Amino acid sequence: MAKIKITQIKSIIDRSERQKQTMKALGLRKINHTIEVEATPSIIGMVRKVNHLIAIEEV
């Protein structure tokens, strides 16, 4: 599968608890924190739910 690079670009302060938990599940902790993960269907679903808080780039 393809890898994607996910970077948190906005704060999770004043977001719903569900969005905060999704960001934690993705492994993002701080603004400008970047992770590389496999583009599995579950990861893609999580990315779609918080796409306004992150930047996505294919590796």
Side-chain angles (χ1 to χ4, degrees), residues 9-47:
I9 57 170
K10 290 191 176 181
S11 174
I12 60 171
I13 294 174
D14 203 29
R15 303 293 175 180
S16 70
E17 191 62 33
R18 190 168 184 151
Q19 289 177 354
K20 290 178 184 179
Q21 290 175 351
T22 301
M23 294 293 278
K24 186 177 179 181
L26 283 169
L28 296 168
R29 297 183 301 268
K30 298 179 177 181
I31 295 178
N32 292 325
H33 184 226
T34 302
I35 58 166
E36 280 190 28
V37 292
E38 293 289 330
T40 62
S42 60
I43 295 292
I44 292 170
M46 287 193 279
V47 163

Side-chain angles (χ1 to χ4, degrees), residues 43-55:
I43 295 292
I44 292 170
M46 287 193 279
V47 163
R48 285 184 182 153
K49 292 294 182 182
V50 292
N51 67 351
H52 55 289
L53 302 175
I54 58 177

